[in-house]
Amino acid sequence: MLDRTEEGKRLRLSSPGGTALQIGAVLAVAFVSWRFIEATGAEAFLLRLGPRAPLVSIPIHVVLSATPFPSEMVGLANGAVYGLWLGAACSWLGWWCGAVLEFTLVRRGTRGIEASAGMGRFPRWLSRFPVGHPVFLIVGRQLPFGFHLVNVLAGVAEIGSTRFVVCAAISNLPYAWITAAMGAGLVASH
């Protein structure tokens, strides 16, 4: 997708200006979604939508998980509204697509940045693995704030897309299962 600027030059979405535009759009959607869910409550929001809820909750989950805004409330609401299995599937899909979105935005928006600069945020034993190693891509995501750090470092290091997508799919399974179970348990306890 290309846009024309005033000087007649093309602004590519992979250029710094295009990437800033993409990031701005994602942040705007995330902020609006977060404020709406915050005001109404995630569970009430999903219940009001009925069978159409996954068509709305999954894209909101994707956008929220690719930003600094918390997406755990959507994961809990998925478990509360859809039950354990469907809730876990919706949460997994939201976090997986969010990881791919964040990775892609970072990969397109950064060139020439050294990925090793962010390795100090991980435990020493995990930092021994290169950014592209499956152990780093899967286990690093399980640590606090590891989700975003792994996505960003993998994007900066320009890890192969297939490896990242597969490792993100595997690494999101436990968290999706846990949050859906917690959400389903909240409903069962009432």
Side-chain angles (χ1 to χ4, degrees):
M1 181 174 187
L2 301 172
D3 296 325
R4 294 253 177 219
T5 62
E6 293 172 13
E7 299 88 26
K9 297 180 184 176
R10 291 183 172 213
L11 175 66
R12 298 177 191 262
L13 288 181
S14 60
S15 71
T19 301
L21 189 67
Q22 288 175 331
I23 291 171
V26 166
L27 288 174
V29 169
F31 181 74
V32 169
S33 301
W34 177 67
R35 292 299 299 163
F36 183 72
I37 289 173
E38 177 91 3
T40 63
E43 188 178 345
F45 172 69
L46 296 178
L47 284 171
R48 192 176 16 198
L49 291 172
R52 298 180 314 260
L55 299 175
V56 175
S57 69
I58 292 173
I60 288 173
H61 202 167
V62 169
V63 173
L64 285 176
S65 67
T67 66
F69 296 105
S71 61
E72 285 76 11
M73 290 307 294
V74 179
L76 290 170
N78 284 340
V81 173
Y82 308 131
L84 179 60
W85 291 101
L86 185 56
C90 289
S91 295
W92 172 81
L93 186 59
W95 278 311
W96 179 60
C97 291
V100 172
L101 175 64
E102 188 173 24
F103 166 77
T104 302
L105 287 173
V106 170
R107 187 172 181 173
R108 288 184 177 189
T110 58
R111 297 281 187 236
I113 296 175
E114 186 62 37
S116 62
M119 294 298 284
R121 302 279 185 203
F122 291 97
R124 190 172 298 146
W125 66 267
L126 186 58
S127 298
R128 292 182 187 150
F129 292 96
V131 174
H133 196 282
V135 170
F136 181 83
L137 293 172
I138 293 170
V139 175
R141 190 180 301 280
Q142 309 309 313
L143 301 173
F145 303 105
F147 182 87
H148 296 294
L149 285 173
V150 167
N151 297 343
V152 168
L153 290 175
V156 168
E158 297 183 0
I159 301 305
S161 296
T162 302
R163 176 178 293 227
F164 180 82
V165 166
V166 169
C167 290
I170 293 167
S171 64
N172 284 316
L173 285 171
Y175 198 56
W177 181 265
I178 290 168
T179 55
M182 289 172 58
L186 288 172
V187 171
S189 68
H190 280 59

